[in-house]
């Protein structure tokens, strides 16, 4: 009891011991460890942990000495308790980063004793305990024992030959921890020893151990093992062919760890390793599979007793001695590792590996079969087309080939699996279903012809009494994927058999099964009666079962939340697709929905279900619930739950569209009062959905609009004048104004709306540009144009008014700007040729003192010309030719014309424009050259086959200006959408990329920008050329001394690096390649250049920090191998100090740099197994110990927790 009390006090931290009592307590506890009573011993050991941190160092050493001595005692019980004691002490020692010397000293004491104990092979159990404790210590505090590393190694190596296998195993574990922290010499000594022993091949038993040891080391320190692989692999390959199954198993485990840990170095050996795996995955010497082949032809109609007889005949030879299954299992695991790490070999996998794996689905050993399934699933996952914006527009033929190969193998897969779906073994059925699920996801529709073969298996697993609940859940989730990914017609013949088991699953007592079954039922309803096409299938017989099964769950109030939600969604789908068959059951069901609307937990799901029902083409009668439901929906609009607001607005929108005749004005008003609060710049998406709803009101229920005049409109105008308005929300406002003007509601006619729109610009004298942001002028202009196109009678008058505004010398710059922008938007859709003064007015404005007015006039000319090419384009071309001073603005107008005119309209003018642009492509002014380049690029899209070769010709031009213009023009032909020019570009982009070697710095910079655009928007253009391009790209990342010069600024000297922009462009390209062509990069070569960038200029360091963070999620293993070299520059950045007298910018710059570096560190720390790297652990403890770094790190952790995704940067 006293010991127990002591432990309580020690844990509470309430005792302060003086020296004398420390001595007594330690002495007593050590004595209690030898107590006769086991309980007392246990308590005493537990006290040691908290005591270590309370007493002086020499007391800890006393404890350790005594425990070590006891470990060697003859009494077994004392030995056991002492080793537990040592483990407790080790786990309580403060880590190295706290800087306490105690840990180091104590460890040295223990290590010396342990290596002694291990060396004296007298008693195996002592040895085992000592090895165990040593492993513990090496894993926690290995770095502090560096002085002992060589003696530990010398003590462990002989143990690999110990007669006891348990000793060998523990020695391997200890070596695994040792290689994490030991230096290069010790590592190479260890590897050389292992290689020598492997070559000697003294006995099979030790060879097994050495191979296990190498595998263990490569698992722990793969990045170090890489350089020895050339020597290791041939030896392991040799031992695969020795007749010893255990040895083979260890060989394959070693291969697997090499594939996962040294992906680069194993590359050349993959074919031979894969060959061995394929050979041994079928290795089953004691079993004859031939008789099965014949059975398959007889098909599956076997009687139960037939199977029993077979069972007996199997037992004639004993299976216990047969461990060939271990070989097959390790070969399957190794194949899985190869498949998951080598995406680039997919086609080979489908040629050689896939047929062999499919052939092995008949494996008799359950565990092996599970691993074969896993390997095949890994193959399917690799085949899944990459779903990202990048590849959606860019699926080249490359992605298709593996999918076609897979498609051809589907019949064999089904043939191998469909029989197993009715086997007794649950594990193998689950394996089949997870494989089929993955298959249906990778190739939607591929199982259509095989549904009849799969149905019996599915129904069997749902109805079989012996099926576990997980088995049912897996079957249901496969069925859900199947129903989603295939055409409804293929299931119709099977509905009769399939429905009863699903309905009985809805009634299952286990909530997870119910919830999965409801999900399937919802999909099944869509399959039985698809609403988007006519269907002859008769649904009548099934409606009752579906409805009553779901209704039971919908009514229940005391069930799991997930089941509640899915029951609501499922019933929504039933009413939506089968509502006309429900007759009398419909009103009571709708009343349940009304109840669910009132419940906070289920309201969101119910709103979505109601939206579904309201949009059904069956015109379900919702009158029973509209009166009570509408005010409830209106109240949701003021709840502080964004998803609920959005879903409610969508629901209201559909209800107004489809049920306007059943609505009372009071119902609509209850909603209108809630709308003004939703329209604001703080949440543009909610605003957009609210405005779309208003537009529906204006079209369907115009009488309600008179009520909204004040508040809603004032919010709307405020939004139009906001600098944030753009995209969808702006388009929604434009639609609403057009719908509103047509209703001719009082106080909301054309004139009133125009006045409200433009008043802020007209009312303020002179300084208008202060009050409104430039973006707002564009928004207002678009609204003006929209109103004018809705009221064409007013349009001409307004256009004339704008022209007068521009001519009036008293008009402010803001008024002129608005006038030009409005004319531009109107001219795009209407013919303004009636306005005779327009051309002169625009040309005069080109001389305006205000830059804003100039650019607005240039924009206007471009858009008006696009609306009326015949009249304006020749005029514009003539002006460009004759007005050198106004060229820049006129070229901008031309760019607008080319961007917004259809290709057919431009065709007649192409030659003239082309000739004109080529006169300007050598202009010295870079701004003008860029506009010319954009015009050339966009124009090339009009007639690529003719114009692209002309651009190519210009590459040989002598002037660097001309070359840079042409290369920039190509950048503008690359967009993220598929274009007819792509095929031609792919053929000749190589020629344009040769400019990466141009002698002119500027040409190289624009070539990099073009390359970046291709890598970012259309990777397929460059993927196949990377081998030739990458050396030149990497070459541009190097610092060039000859481009750095000193500039004298008064008394100061200032260095200017002319090569910085090119380097920056090169690193940006590297970042883009990371996102789009990762599989084509040699990541180790890539990391070399990232490493250089980490020590470069501020801008480039910022970039490489972001790259590093991205790399640590994309290819963690490669980063792990390089950690030691990557950490140093990060540490240097994080610990720099700014000189005391520096300017504020310098401080801000350094702070930003440190933040960015710390983000990279935080990303590195998320890599799995990074804690095994001694450099990283040391740096992490340095961060924790330094208050400034620690607080920075914490704030970054907080930031990343609040961000939804990893930070990535858009390089466009």
């Amino acid at each position: 009891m006293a010991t127990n009390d002591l432990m309580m006090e020690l844990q509470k931290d309430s005792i302060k011991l003086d020296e004398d009592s420390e001595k007594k307590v330690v002495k007593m506890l050590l004595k209690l460890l030898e107590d006769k009573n086991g309980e007392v011993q246990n308590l005493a050991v537990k006290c040691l942990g908290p005591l270590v941190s309370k007493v002086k160092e020499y007391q800890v050493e006393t404890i350790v000495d005594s425990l070590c001595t006891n470990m060697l005692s003859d009494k077994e019980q004392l030995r056991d308790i002492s080793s537990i004691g040592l483990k407790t002490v080790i786990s309580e020692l403060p880590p190295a980063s706290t800087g306490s010397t105690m840990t180091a000293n104590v460890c040295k004491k223990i290590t010396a004793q342990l290596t002694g104990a291990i060396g004296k092979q007298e008693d195996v159990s002592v040895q085992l305990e000592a090895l165990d404790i040593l492993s513990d210590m090496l894993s926690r505090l290995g770095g502090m024992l560096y002085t002992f590393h060589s003696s530990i190694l010398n003590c462990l190596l002989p143990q690999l030959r110990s007669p006891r296998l348990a000793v060998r195993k523990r020695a391997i574990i200890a070596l695994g921890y040792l290689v994490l922290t030991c230096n290069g010499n010790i590592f190479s000594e260890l590897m050389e020893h292992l290689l020598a022993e492997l070559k000697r091949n003294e006995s099979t038993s030790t060879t097994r151990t050495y191979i296990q040891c190498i595998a263990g080391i490569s698992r722990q320190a793969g990045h170090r093992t890489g350089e020895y692989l050339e020597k290791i692999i041939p030896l392991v390959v040799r031992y695969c062919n020795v007749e010893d199954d255990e040895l083979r198993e260890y060989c394959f485990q070693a291969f697997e760890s090499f594939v996962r840990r040294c992906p680069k170095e194993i590359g050349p050996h993959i074919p031979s390793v894969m060959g061995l795996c394929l050979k041994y995955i079928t290795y089953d010497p004691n079993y004859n599979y031939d008789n099965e082949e014949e059975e398959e032809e007889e098909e599956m109609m076997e009687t139960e007793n037939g199977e029993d007889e077979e069972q007996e005949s199997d037992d004639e030879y004993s299976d216990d001695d047969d461990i060939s299954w271990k070989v097959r299992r390790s070969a399957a695991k190794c194949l899985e590792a190869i498949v998951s790490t080598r995406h680039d070999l997919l086609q080979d996998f489908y040629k050689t590996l896939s047929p062999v794996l499919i052939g092995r689905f008949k494996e008799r050993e359950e565990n092996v079969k599970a691993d074969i399934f896993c390997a095949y699933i890994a193959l399917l996952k690799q085949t899944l087309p990459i779903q990202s914006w990048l590849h959606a527009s860019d699926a080249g033929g490359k992605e298709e080939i593996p999918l076609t190969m897979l498609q051809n193998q589907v019949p064999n897969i089904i043939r191998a699996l469909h029989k197993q779906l009715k086997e007794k073994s649950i594990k193998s059925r689950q394996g089949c279903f997870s494989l089929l699920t993955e298959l249906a996801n990778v190739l939607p529709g591929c199982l259509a012809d095989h549904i009849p073969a799969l149905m019996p298996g599915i129904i069997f697993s749902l109805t079989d009494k012996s099926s576990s609940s997980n088995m049912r859940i897996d079957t249901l989730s496969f069925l859900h994927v199947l129903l989603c990914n295939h055409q409804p017609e293929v299931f119709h013949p099977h509905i009769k058999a399939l429905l009863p088991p699903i309905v009985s699953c809805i009634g299952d007592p286990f909530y997870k099964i119910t919830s999965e079954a409801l999900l399937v039922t919802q999909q099944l309803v869509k399959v039985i009666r698809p609403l988007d096409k006519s269907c002859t299938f008769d649904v009548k017989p099934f409606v009752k079962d579906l409805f009553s099964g779901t209704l039971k769950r919908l009514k229940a109030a005391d069930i799991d939340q997930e089941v509640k939600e899915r029951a609501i969604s499922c019933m929504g789908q039933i009413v939506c697709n089968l509502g006309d068959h429900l007759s009398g059951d419909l009103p009571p069901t709708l009343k349940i929905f009304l109840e669910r609307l009132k419940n906070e937990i289920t309201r969101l799901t119910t709103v979505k279900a109601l939206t579904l029902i309201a949009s059904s083409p069956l015109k379900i009668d919702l009158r029973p619930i509209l009166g009570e439901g509408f005010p409830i929906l209106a109240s949701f609009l003021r709840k502080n739950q964004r998803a609920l607001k959005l879903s409610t607005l969508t629901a209201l929108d559909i209800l107004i569209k489809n049920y306007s005749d059943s609505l009372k004005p009071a119902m609509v008003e209850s909603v209108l009062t809630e709308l003004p609060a939703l329209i604001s710049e703080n949440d543009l998406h909610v605003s957009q959905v609210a405005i779309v709803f208003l537009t529906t009101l204006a079209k369907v229920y115009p009488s309600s609009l008179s009520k909204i005049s004040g508040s809603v409109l004032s919010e709307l105008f405020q939004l139009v004048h906001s600098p944030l308005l753009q995209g969808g929300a702006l388009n929604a406002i434009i639609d609403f104004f057009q719908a509103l003007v047509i209703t001719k509601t009082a106080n909301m006619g054309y004139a009133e709306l125009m006045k409200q729109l433009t008043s802020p610009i007209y009312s303020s004298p002179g300084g208008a540009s202060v009050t409104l942001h430039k973006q707002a002028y564009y928004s207002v202009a678009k609204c003006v144009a929209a109103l004018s196109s809705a009221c064409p009678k007013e349009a001409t008058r307004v256009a004339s008014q704008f022209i007068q505004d521009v001519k009036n010398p008293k008009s402010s710059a803001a008024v002129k700007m608005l006038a030009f922008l409005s004319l531009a938007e109107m001219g795009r859709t209407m013919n303004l040729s009636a306005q005779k003064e327009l051309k002169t007015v625009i040309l005069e404005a080109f001389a305006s003192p205000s830059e804003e007015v100039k650019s607005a006039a240039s924009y206007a000319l471009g858009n008006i010309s696009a609306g009326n090419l015949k009249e304006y384009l020749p005029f514009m071309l003539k002006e460009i030719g004759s007005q050198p001073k106004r060229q820049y603005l006129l070229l901008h107008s031309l760019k607008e014309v080319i961007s917004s005119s259809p290709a057919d309209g431009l065709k007649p003018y192409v030659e003239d424009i082309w000739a004109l642009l080529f006169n300007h492509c050598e202009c010295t002014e870079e701004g003008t050259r860029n506009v010319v380049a954009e015009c050339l690029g966009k124009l090339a899209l009009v007639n690529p086959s003719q114009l692209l070769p002309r651009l190519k010709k210009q590459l040989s031009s002598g002037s660097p200006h001309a070359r840079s213009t042409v290369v920039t023009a190509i950048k503008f032909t690359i967009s993220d959408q598929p274009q007819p020019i792509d095929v031609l570009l792919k053929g000749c982009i190589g020629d344009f990329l040769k400019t990466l070697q141009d002698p002119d710095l500027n040409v190289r910079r624009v070539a990099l920008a073009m390359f970046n655009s291709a890598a970012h928007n259309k990777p397929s253009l460059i993927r196949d050329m990377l081998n030739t391009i990458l050396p030149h790209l990497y070459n541009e990342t190097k610092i060039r001394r000859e481009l750095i010069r000193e500039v004298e600024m008064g008394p100061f000297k200032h260095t200017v690096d002319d090569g910085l922009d090119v380097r920056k462009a090169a690193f940006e390209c590297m970042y883009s390649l990371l996102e789009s062509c990762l599989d084509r990069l040699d990541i180790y070569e890539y990391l070399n250049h990232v490493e250089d960038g980490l020590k470069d200029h501020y801008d480039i360091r910022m970039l490489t920090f972001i790259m590093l963070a991205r790399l640590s999620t994309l290819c963690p293993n490669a980063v792990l191998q390089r950690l030691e070299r990557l950490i140093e520059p990060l540490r240097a950045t994080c610990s720099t100090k700014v000189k005391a007298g520096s300017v504020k910018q310098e401080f801000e710059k350094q702070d930003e740099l440190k933040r960015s570096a710390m983000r990279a560190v935080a990303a590195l720390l998320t890599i799995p197994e990074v804690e095994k790297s001694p450099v990283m652990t040391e740096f992490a403890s340095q961060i924790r110990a330094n208050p400034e770094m620690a607080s920075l790190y914490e704030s970054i952790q907080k930031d990343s927790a609040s961000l939804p995704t990893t930070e990535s940067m858009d390089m466009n």
Side-chain angles (χ1 to χ4, degrees), residues 1067-1075 1107 1110 1208-1209 1211:
F1067 276 106
E1068 283 170 4
C1069 291
M1070 283 173 64
Y1071 183 81
S1072 298
L1073 287 173
L1074 206 51
E1075 295 299 329
M1107 283 157 79
R1110 197 75 193 95
S1208 96
M1209 70 178 172
M1211 300 292 301

Side-chain angles (χ1 to χ4, degrees), residues 993-1007:
L993 285 170
K994 287 201 178 109
T995 49
L996 284 172
Q997 305 159 53
D998 198 280
D1000 184 82
L1001 192 67
N1002 194 38
V1003 177
R1004 293 206 300 274
R1005 183 177 58 82
V1006 294

Side-chain angles (χ1 to χ4, degrees), residues 592-847:
I592 301 181
F593 276 127
L594 199 56
E595 288 308 305
R596 299 286 172 268
L597 257 191
K598 296 174 185 165
N599 177 341
E600 189 174 333
I601 293 174
T602 52
R603 62 190 181 192
L604 179 59
T605 316
T606 314
V607 171
K608 289 180 179 165
L610 284 175
T611 311
L612 190 65
I613 295 171
S615 54
S616 162
L618 304 176
K619 295 276 173 275
I620 309 294
D621 181 12
L622 288 178
R623 277 174 307 191
I625 60 166
L626 279 182
E628 201 180 334
F630 229 78
I632 299 180
L633 287 174
S635 72
F636 289 168
L637 293 178
R638 50 172 184 269
K639 297 279 184 277
N640 189 11
Q641 187 186 352
R642 189 164 181 266
L644 183 65
K645 282 187 215 173
L646 288 169
S647 301
T648 306
L649 284 167
T650 316
L652 289 168
D653 193 49
I654 292 279
L655 287 169
I656 296 258
K657 271 187 193 141
N658 295 350
Y659 296 87
S660 54
D661 42 359
S662 323
L663 300 178
K664 310 269 185 308
M667 294 184 187
V668 179
E669 268 171 54
S670 65
V671 174
L672 282 177
T673 49
E674 304 297 342
L675 285 178
L678 297 181
I679 297 174
S680 87
E681 60 178 28
N682 296 335
D683 189 332
L684 283 181
H685 185 57
V686 172
S687 307
Q688 178 182 337
V689 181
I691 297 163
V692 169
F693 171 67
L694 278 172
T695 313
T696 308
L697 263 187
K699 288 178 184 160
V700 181
Y701 211 85
S703 56
S704 63
L705 287 178
S706 52
K707 306 275 190 309
I708 67 167
S709 55
S711 47
V712 172
L713 275 183
S714 63
E715 291 294 340
L716 264 181
F717 288 121
Q718 216 170 334
L719 190 55
V720 174
H721 297 141
S722 150
L724 304 175
L725 180 67
Q726 54 167 351
L730 176 58
N731 294 338
I733 290 184
I734 291 173
D735 290 346
F736 172 63
F737 280 149
Q738 286 184 320
L740 181 62
V741 158
I742 299 168
T743 60
K744 303 224 173 4
T745 311
N747 302 340
M748 284 178 256
Y750 181 85
E752 284 89 345
L753 292 174
M754 283 291 281
K755 182 165 174 286
Q756 295 254 347
L757 272 173
T758 54
S759 61
I761 297 166
Y762 280 102
S763 58
S764 54
S769 50
V770 183
T771 54
L772 282 191
H773 188 271
K774 194 169 162 190
Q775 179 60 40
Y777 288 99
Y778 284 94
S779 309
V780 171
K782 282 197 164 76
C783 294
V784 167
L787 286 173
S788 307
S789 71
C791 309
K793 291 198 187 76
E794 309 274 352
T796 336
R797 188 182 60 71
V798 170
S800 312
Q801 174 58 47
F802 280 136
I803 291 178
Q804 293 313 315
D805 284 343
V806 175
K807 283 170 64 181
N808 179 355
K810 293 203 178 101
S811 300
S812 65
V815 170
K816 289 184 182 172
M817 189 172 150
L818 175 71
F820 277 129
L821 293 177
S822 305
L823 285 168
E825 299 297 340
M826 288 162 75
R828 194 180 283 188
T829 48
M830 298 185 293
N831 188 345
L832 293 180
S833 52
Q835 308 291 341
K836 296 288 175 248
E837 301 173 282
L838 199 47
K839 292 180 188 168
T840 46
V841 167
I842 289 179
L843 288 181
E844 278 167 14
F846 279 1

Side-chain angles (χ1 to χ4, degrees), residues 222-223 261-263 265 1084 1116-1124:
H223 53 283
R261 292 324 226 151
C262 326
E265 292 84 357
Y1084 296 94
N1117 283 345
V1119 176
L1120 262 187
Q1121 293 195 21
R1122 287 294 176 83
L1123 261 185
E1124 289 163 22

Side-chain angles (χ1 to χ4, degrees), residues 488-497 537:
E489 296 77 42
V490 296
F491 299 104
H492 289 162
H494 308 283
I495 297 288
K496 193 168 177 217
F537 184 68

Side-chain angles (χ1 to χ4, degrees), residues 744-990:
K744 303 224 173 4
T745 311
N747 302 340
M748 284 178 256
Y750 181 85
E752 284 89 345
L753 292 174
M754 283 291 281
K755 182 165 174 286
Q756 295 254 347
L757 272 173
T758 54
S759 61
I761 297 166
Y762 280 102
S763 58
S764 54
S769 50
V770 183
T771 54
L772 282 191
H773 188 271
K774 194 169 162 190
Q775 179 60 40
Y777 288 99
Y778 284 94
S779 309
V780 171
K782 282 197 164 76
C783 294
V784 167
L787 286 173
S788 307
S789 71
C791 309
K793 291 198 187 76
E794 309 274 352
T796 336
R797 188 182 60 71
V798 170
S800 312
Q801 174 58 47
F802 280 136
I803 291 178
Q804 293 313 315
D805 284 343
V806 175
K807 283 170 64 181
N808 179 355
K810 293 203 178 101
S811 300
S812 65
V815 170
K816 289 184 182 172
M817 189 172 150
L818 175 71
F820 277 129
L821 293 177
S822 305
L823 285 168
E825 299 297 340
M826 288 162 75
R828 194 180 283 188
T829 48
M830 298 185 293
N831 188 345
L832 293 180
S833 52
Q835 308 291 341
K836 296 288 175 248
E837 301 173 282
L838 199 47
K839 292 180 188 168
T840 46
V841 167
I842 289 179
L843 288 181
E844 278 167 14
F846 279 1
S848 154
S850 151
E851 284 300 322
E852 256 98 19
V853 174
K854 277 195 224 174
S855 83
S858 144
Y859 180 71
L861 179 61
N863 279 300
I864 295 166
S865 308
N868 186 354
L869 287 173
K870 252 211 308 287
E871 182 170 337
Y872 278 90
L873 193 56
F875 158 74
M876 188 194 296
L877 296 176
K878 189 177 111 256
E879 285 293 321
I880 295 181
S882 61
Q883 298 275 359
K885 282 208 173 117
R886 301 176 179 167
Q887 238 164 36
Y888 183 67
L889 293 167
L890 286 162
L891 284 168
H892 263 290
S893 307
L894 183 59
K895 182 188 81 183
E896 288 294 334
V897 176
I898 297 174
S899 307
S900 46
S901 306
D904 309 340
L906 279 176
K907 282 245 165 82
Y909 305 103
V910 167
E911 289 302 325
D912 301 345
I913 302 179
W914 192 264
L916 184 76
L917 289 171
F918 257 100
N919 294 341
H920 292 292
C921 75
E922 297 192 18
C923 173
T924 46
E925 178 57 45
E926 190 178 0
T928 310
R929 278 207 313 276
N930 281 344
V931 185
V932 169
E934 190 170 345
C935 292
L936 281 171
K938 300 241 168 95
L939 196 58
L941 296 172
V942 176
N943 183 356
S945 54
Q946 244 184 323
L947 300 178
L948 200 59
R950 292 192 198 172
L951 282 174
K952 194 169 130 185
K953 233 191 222 143
Q954 274 299 309
L955 282 177
S956 53
S957 136
S959 129
H961 284 339
R963 288 200 302 273
S964 72
T965 307
V966 172
V967 175
T968 309
I970 294 294
K971 181 175 92 176
F972 286 106
T973 62
I974 301 171
S975 67
D976 53 1
Q977 297 306 320
Q979 300 269 13
I981 196 172
D982 294 346
V983 187
L984 300 164
L985 254 183
K986 193 161 186 180
C988 68
I989 195 161

